[in-house]
Amino acid sequence: MTRGRIGAAQPMESGDPKIDVAVTVNGEQVARRVSVRMLLSDFLRHELGLTGTHVGCEHGVCGCCTVHIDGRSARSCLTLVAQADGASVRTIESVAAADGALHPIQQAFKECHALQCGYCTPGMIMNILARFEEPTPLDLSDDGIRYILSGNLCRCTGYLNIIAAVRRAAELLGRA
Amino acid sequence: MKPPLFAFRAPRTLDDAIAALASDDDAAVLAGGQSLLPAMNFRLAAPSLLVDIQHVPELKGLRIEDRQIVVKAMTRHRELELDEAVRRANPLIAEVMEHVAHIPIRNRGTVVGSLCHADAAAEMPMLLVLLDGSVVARSRAGRREIAAADFFQFHLTTSRRRDEIVVEARIPVLAGDAGFAFDEMTRRHGDFAIAGVGAVVRLDASGKAVEVRLAACGIAACPVRLTKAESLLVGTALGASDLAAAAAAATEAVTVPDDMHASAAYRRRVTATLVRRMAAKAAARAKERIAR
């Protein structure tokens, strides 16, 4: 399976009640029959093989699993796939261009060394991207950026380089 | 799979949702899921049936009528927070909302869901109590409006009956001359409050308080009005000694025992400080708003 493409990963078998869902994932329509209790994070990773969405705390604190649902950032670990039926979901796999060129936010993370182990990075990027796409004024002071990032935990970097990366991304995107 | 087994229904009308909820004593209403799903992921909650109300058209949107902001059951926090008309009608809402978890959680979580979850440290229940708002519940037995003071019973417990769906919350508009303030103490921005205090103050032409509202979250089994502190401030110019007396009185409302986040003594100290600061900030803003 090509990395980052929706594939037929090993489906999880169980005797649970099932539901048919149709979700648009990164612009591609996918229809699956899944357990009603399957979380969106598990659906993306186990059913579709999109392992860029990471799973940390599974109760909404760490922010690793952040994706976009209908254009807004959301915790995929706090969403049932059943709730995303008919919705449009965007994951980290869709952020870089098809030719591999990095998105300006990814470029800024790279330039500013805003990651070490990288486990929190997909959630960080999806959260920042959604905030940049929201049509409300951006506060790019340290406090303003910390406020945007308050729902994402990083255990490596101490956040300073991530704050710098958000500011650099704003420059690259003409939002500074 | 993290959550325990359950059956799932996604009705398209309010009547169907009410019928589904009434069909099972252990059913739960699923709106945004930002409180219920963590509880289920931890297996602290194990409803046998989830009634997903996101596709019920009557439960969407918000409107302002009769000096009330009517927030329907599926209205997400962020939708209320960013609404321009709401910001003008009640600027305290956006100030409180900045402390409700984080933007991705507010994008999904609903205001009514937070009220029904009724965490004693949560901000939105405190706001409803502070402003004497209410909720409207529907069941097969009909419709009833429940005042905030009667709705919150205990940590995670409200007077909503099992077969009722809270279809809307009603948050009063803030008077044009009212000053307001909210702040809280947390270990990390967006966490539940160790203590949080909201204030609304109205002054007469001489600068004396004609109305003082104070409420707190995180300090008792449910959000509480700080009535003794309020009455000590009414009729005063909210000078330093008035504020000190009110702050001391407010500490009597701290009834939670020591826990992993803070001792009761620390919570009393934080509550006193917040009461002093929020009452003073609300009074200063009342002066600004009168001057405008």
Side-chain angles (χ1 to χ4, degrees), chain A residues 3 7 17 49 51 53 84 105 112 127 149:
Chain A
R3 227 175 132 80
T51 53
T53 298
I105 299 174
C112 299
N127 178 26
L149 297 175

Side-chain angles (χ1 to χ4, degrees), chain B residues 102-163:
Chain B
H102 316 284
I103 293 171
I105 304 270
R106 297 204 295 277
N107 279 336
R108 295 294 295 173
T110 65
V111 175
V112 168
S114 172
L115 298 174
C116 291
H117 185 64
D119 191 297
E123 296 84 1
M124 295 310 281
M126 185 280 325
L127 181 73
L128 206 70
V129 167
L130 175 70
L131 300 176
D132 278 325
S134 63
V135 299
V136 173
R138 283 279 310 273
S139 70
R140 287 185 300 185
R143 171 191 190 278
R144 65 176 181 133
E145 186 165 349
I146 310 165
D150 301 324
F151 186 64
F152 302 105
Q153 309 264 296
F154 194 72
H155 182 51
L156 308 180
T157 308
T158 69
S159 56
R160 182 186 73 85
R161 292 196 310 262
R162 268 172 201 285
D163 64 337

Side-chain angles (χ1 to χ4, degrees), chain B residues 168-225:
Chain B
E168 66 192 33
R170 305 178 75 91
I171 306 172
V173 164
L174 208 59
D177 63 350
F180 58 90
F182 174 80
D183 203 359
E184 66 181 26
M185 169 67 80
T186 53
R187 294 252 180 206
R188 188 178 69 129
H189 184 91
D191 287 356
F192 281 111
I194 287 173
V197 170
V200 175
V201 172
R202 290 176 63 221
L203 303 173
D204 66 15
S206 70
K208 291 214 164 60
V210 289
E211 183 185 357
V212 177
R213 289 170 177 268
L214 291 163
C217 53
I219 64 166
C222 43
V224 285
R225 279 287 286 276

Side-chain angles (χ1 to χ4, degrees), chain B:
Chain B
M1 307 276 178
K2 292 286 282 187
L5 265 178
F6 55 83
F8 183 85
R9 305 257 284 275
R12 260 54 183 176
T13 68
L14 182 55
D15 285 343
D16 286 351
I18 289 168
L21 191 62
S23 73
D24 185 331
D25 277 349
D26 287 322
V29 176
L30 174 65
Q34 302 301 287
S35 301
L36 181 57
L37 283 173
M40 291 174 67
N41 283 355
F42 273 128
R43 304 206 170 195
L44 296 170
S48 51
L49 168 67
L50 284 189
V51 181
D52 177 2
I53 58 169
Q54 70 168 324
H55 301 292
V56 178
E58 302 102 294
L59 299 181
K60 294 183 185 182
L62 60 90
R63 63 177 194 277
I64 302 176
E65 62 172 34
D66 303 331
R67 302 200 53 76
Q68 301 268 317
I69 299 164
V70 180
V71 186
K72 308 297 280 184
M74 273 312 301
T75 304
R76 321 266 182 190
H77 280 110
R78 191 77 171 150
E79 195 182 335
L80 181 70
E81 177 186 1
L82 296 181
D83 188 280
E84 283 300 329
V86 169
R87 281 179 175 249
R88 283 191 299 274
N90 190 334
L92 177 58
I93 292 176
E95 185 156 313
V96 169
M97 200 76 87
E98 280 195 11
H99 298 273
V100 178
H102 316 284
I103 293 171
I105 304 270
R106 297 204 295 277
N107 279 336
R108 295 294 295 173
T110 65
V111 175
V112 168
S114 172
L115 298 174
C116 291
H117 185 64
D119 191 297
E123 296 84 1
M124 295 310 281
M126 185 280 325
L127 181 73
L128 206 70
V129 167
L130 175 70
L131 300 176
D132 278 325
S134 63
V135 299
V136 173
R138 283 279 310 273
S139 70
R140 287 185 300 185
R143 171 191 190 278
R144 65 176 181 133
E145 186 165 349
I146 310 165
D150 301 324
F151 186 64
F152 302 105
Q153 309 264 296
F154 194 72
H155 182 51
L156 308 180
T157 308
T158 69
S159 56
R160 182 186 73 85
R161 292 196 310 262
R162 268 172 201 285
D163 64 337
E164 284 178 318
I165 295 180
V166 174
V167 292
E168 66 192 33
R170 305 178 75 91
I171 306 172
V173 164
L174 208 59
D177 63 350
F180 58 90
F182 174 80
D183 203 359
E184 66 181 26
M185 169 67 80
T186 53
R187 294 252 180 206
R188 188 178 69 129
H189 184 91
D191 287 356
F192 281 111
I194 287 173
V197 170
V200 175
V201 172
R202 290 176 63 221
L203 303 173
D204 66 15
S206 70
K208 291 214 164 60
V210 289
E211 183 185 357
V212 177
R213 289 170 177 268
L214 291 163
C217 53
I219 64 166
C222 43
V224 285
R225 279 287 286 276
L226 304 170
T227 48
K228 195 167 171 194
E230 289 174 354
S231 58
L232 285 169
L233 290 174
V234 172
T236 75
L238 287 89
S241 61
D242 306 318
L243 292 169
T251 61
E252 291 169 25
V254 179
T255 54
V256 290
D258 297 356
D259 64 22
M260 64 183 281
H261 303 293
S263 66
Y266 180 68
R267 275 202 170 82
R268 282 195 290 275
R269 201 164 148 176
V270 170
T271 303
T273 301
L274 287 172
V275 163
R276 200 161 31 77
R277 287 183 190 164
M278 294 307 103
K281 188 172 181 182
R285 276 184 172 157
K287 280 179 194 152
E288 281 170 27
R289 293 185 98 198
I290 293 168
R292 250 186 281 141

Side-chain angles (χ1 to χ4, degrees), chain A:
Chain A
M1 187 170 62
T2 315
R3 227 175 132 80
R5 296 292 304 275
I6 294 171
Q10 196 65 39
M12 289 200 204
E13 286 300 333
S14 72
D16 296 4
K18 297 288 197 294
I19 187 169
D20 290 312
V21 293
V23 188
T24 305
V25 179
N26 299 334
E28 193 176 327
Q29 262 285 313
V30 293
R32 291 283 195 284
R33 190 171 182 77
V34 298
S35 165
V36 292
R37 60 175 167 157
M38 179 173 278
L39 300 169
L40 179 59
S41 47
D42 290 341
F43 179 74
L44 295 169
R45 293 178 56 85
H46 300 301
E47 291 286 324
L48 305 185
L50 296 176
T51 53
T53 298
H54 291 168
V55 173
C57 70
E58 293 187 87
H59 62 282
V61 172
C62 77
C64 277
C65 70
T66 305
V67 298
H68 297 186
I69 302 175
D70 292 332
R72 290 186 168 277
S73 59
R75 301 281 200 251
S76 60
C77 80
L78 297 187
T79 309
L80 301 168
V81 201
Q83 289 177 286
D85 184 27
S88 178
V89 174
R90 186 173 182 198
T91 70
I92 188 69
E93 283 86 352
S94 74
V95 173
D99 65 1
L102 295 181
H103 183 280
I105 299 174
Q106 294 172 312
Q107 183 63 35
F109 265 62
K110 185 179 170 188
E111 286 177 19
C112 299
H113 303 284
L115 62 150
Q116 287 181 27
C117 84
Y119 198 81
C120 68
T121 310
M124 291 266 182
I125 303 257
M126 296 312 286
N127 178 26
I128 296 161
L129 180 60
R131 184 61 192 84
F132 272 61
E133 288 177 348
E134 203 178 74
T136 48
L138 276 172
D139 174 1
L140 293 172
S141 66
D142 276 10
D143 282 351
I145 294 171
R146 282 176 187 277
Y147 177 72
I148 295 170
L149 297 175
S150 67
N152 290 83
L153 294 183
C154 170
R155 299 285 83 143
C156 302
T157 66
Y159 301 99
L160 293 178
N161 291 357
I162 301 173
I163 291 166
V166 173
R167 203 169 280 129
R168 175 71 183 133
E171 282 170 21
L172 293 173
L173 288 162
R175 295 286 297 273

